Amino acid sequence: MDTEQFIAFEEEHCAHNYHPLPVVISSGQDVWVTDVEGRRYVDMLSAYSALNFGHRHPALLAALSAQLDRVTLTSRAFHNDQLGRFCADLAALARHDAVLPMNSGAEGVETALKVARKWGYQVKGVSEGNAEIIVCAGNFHGRTTTIVSFSDDPDARNDYGPFTPGFVTVPYGDAEAFAAAITPNTVAVLVEPIQGEAGVVIPPTGYLQEVRALCSANNVLMIADEIQAGLGRAGATFACDLVDVQPDIRILGKALGGGILPVSAITANWDVLGVIKPGEHGSTFGGNPLAAAVGIAVIELLNTGELQARSLSLGEHVLATLRNAGMPGVKEVRGSGLWWALELDGTGPTGRDISMTLLERGILAKDTHTWTIRFAPPLTISEQELDAALATIIDVVKAAQP
Ligand SMILES: *Cc1c(COP(=O)(O)O)cnc(C)c1O
């Protein structure tokens, strides 16, 4: 089958809940993927930051195959010999006491919301059924019914009601609005330290520190959704580290499974996580030994700090290069670490049009919200590979202007 036939076959049998670019990938290695026609591309999306270590990183494949030879799933009805180590290592990385493992990012978010509500009733003393959680406009936290209840993206939300109550939305980056929304029933704020799906939106200086201070002053839990921003992507182990903020609950996913398995988790201290007792939350696959073994190897890759440092310094190089390129039709270049977005001014081709041209030129990237193109190459990308990609991006954006 050729590309068109693969796409038609998939369209016929798979729900149309995505609108992928027309490329059919059949193999990948580090930053490169190959399509069914044998064409090669640099992956500058990294599965929305799940492939921070590139495709098929040898250390992750080794951990995977060693565990495949032992045991893959036990359920939490029994213990397995990988879970303790995974939780210990992740808690240490996150500077928290403990971990609750799940699978997808959305499940991690749901877990954080449930823990925060239970903490609100049992520890803070909010009266039953009245817990409020503050969220930010423009957020993306996943696709469950509860999570889309507090999305303001009509595509994510429309016709999925009735919605879960108990959420209050404030503008992102506005600490005063957050302060004004806090009531005695507020149990938590859920915030992305950098908004990913919104288009790599970086909050104003001091915002996260102010949110942290307001949470501490008002006995409100700060929940940082670092599913996309964390694990090296933004130029530090966690994006909150860039501004020296320690949240009460961290949500991790995507790269936590090394681009191999869905692995998510929340990390917190016992005064928070301790509210969950046996039988009150769980997942058949959450904490499975295969996922834990890969997760341990992921944390080992991060423990040296080398990839985070690469992300930070190469990210500065990217921003300088793109900002100096004088690209017409580009309203803003913003980013943090190896994670950046070009925001188009809306007068020329759309983000999708440009992504299509980039595809033809051997670069995989994806638009978000029509006028923004988001880039997130594997943190393992070499300087030469990065510079070649940047030259192509600049060339394509310049040529795209009418
Ligand atoms: C991707 C993402 C999620 C959802 O993760 P899934 O694994 O797709 O459920 C949640 N929050 C943020 C910030 C994300 O980028």
Side-chain angles (χ1 to χ4, degrees):
M1 287 200 279
D2 66 10
T3 294
E4 256 176 55
Q5 290 165 322
F6 270 107
I7 292 173
F9 184 53
E10 185 186 297
E11 295 266 292
E12 201 179 328
H13 301 285
C14 182
H16 300 168
N17 56 326
Y18 280 87
H19 181 32
L21 294 181
V23 56
V24 182
I25 295 165
S26 56
S27 66
Q29 184 59 47
D30 196 17
V31 302
W32 294 92
V33 297
T34 306
D35 75 4
V36 291
E37 321 259 351
R39 288 181 292 242
R40 300 206 327 141
Y41 305 84
V42 183
D43 186 348
M44 302 281 279
L45 180 66
S46 302
Y48 304 97
S49 213
L51 287 158
N52 284 3
F53 316 101
H55 294 266
R56 306 172 63 252
H57 190 288
L60 302 183
L61 289 191
L64 177 79
S65 67
Q67 189 59 37
L68 277 173
D69 287 340
R70 294 189 201 111
V71 66
T72 57
L73 183 62
T74 55
S75 84
R76 298 287 305 276
F78 314 107
H79 296 276
N80 71 67
D81 63 4
Q82 300 297 309
L83 181 58
R85 165 97 192 270
F86 170 63
C87 292
D89 290 358
L90 184 57
L93 189 77
R95 303 178 303 276
H96 274 143
D97 293 341
V99 168
L100 199 164
M102 296 294 280
N103 311 284
S104 69
E107 286 175 316
V109 173
E110 289 276 354
T111 301
L113 298 174
K114 287 172 78 175
V115 167
R117 282 180 168 185
K118 205 176 262 293
W119 174 88
Y121 298 123
Q122 296 188 352
V123 179
K124 182 164 179 169
V126 172
S127 60
E128 187 51 40
N130 289 318
E132 291 167 10
I133 294 175
I134 298 173
V135 299
C136 297
N139 70 70
F140 182 85
H141 297 288
R143 300 292 195 168
T144 67
T145 321
T146 286
I147 293 170
V148 301
S149 294
F150 55 82
S151 169
D152 51 18
D153 176 355
D155 287 344
R157 183 185 153 92
N158 281 1
D159 292 334
Y160 291 131
F163 298 111
T164 307
F167 298 95
V168 177
T169 305
V170 297
Y172 184 64
D174 185 342
E176 271 176 41
F178 169 56
I182 296 173
T183 76
N185 289 332
T186 305
V187 298
V189 59
L190 172 62
V191 64
E192 295 163 84
I194 294 172
Q195 287 189 327
E197 293 311 295
V200 196
V201 176
I202 295 157
T205 307
Y207 171 67
L208 293 167
Q209 296 94 316
E210 282 178 68
V211 168
R212 173 66 273 179
L214 286 162
C215 285
S216 299
N218 291 281
N219 199 23
V220 166
L221 298 178
M222 180 177 182
I223 306 172
D225 181 346
E226 294 245 17
I227 290 170
Q228 191 165 157
L231 307 181
R233 177 52 63 191
T237 304
F238 305 108
C240 283
D241 291 351
L242 293 166
V243 291
D244 280 320
V245 162
Q246 175 79 347
D248 299 296
I249 300 178
R250 263 183 232 289
I251 315 171
L252 300 169
K254 293 205 165 102
L256 191 56
I260 297 174
L261 292 163
V263 185
S264 68
I266 70 163
T267 70
N269 286 338
W270 281 123
D271 58 345
V272 173
L273 206 50
V275 300
I276 298 284
K277 300 289 188 305
E280 294 177 350
H281 187 56
S283 159
T284 304
F285 279 84
N288 73 76
L290 193 63
V294 171
I296 291 165
V298 161
I299 296 159
E300 217 168 281
L301 289 178
L302 289 167
N303 273 339
T304 65
E306 198 183 311
L307 286 169
Q308 296 91 316
R310 276 180 67 73
S311 178
L312 190 67
S313 66
L314 290 178
E316 281 164 11
H317 168 66
V318 166
L319 289 186
T321 305
L322 293 175
R323 284 175 180 156
N324 288 333
M327 289 177 285
V330 173
K331 197 160 78 180
E332 194 185 14
V333 179
R334 53 176 182 259
S336 180
L338 276 173
W339 196 30
W340 70 93
L342 299 182
E343 191 171 331
L344 305 169
D345 65 10
T347 60
T350 63
R352 181 157 181 113
D353 296 333
I354 298 216
S355 300
M356 285 290 291
T357 313
L358 287 171
L359 178 69
E360 284 157 21
R361 298 279 302 267
I363 291 179
L364 299 187
K366 189 77 165 65
D367 55 298
T368 176
H369 299 291
T370 314
W371 298 110
T372 305
I373 314 163
R374 171 244 326 253
F375 297 87
L379 309 182
T380 53
I381 193 169
S382 71
E383 277 185 65
Q384 297 91 308
E385 287 164 333
L386 185 62
D387 281 337
L390 290 174
T392 305
I393 291 165
I394 292 165
D395 197 41
V396 164
V397 171
K398 283 185 171 171
Q401 286 312 302

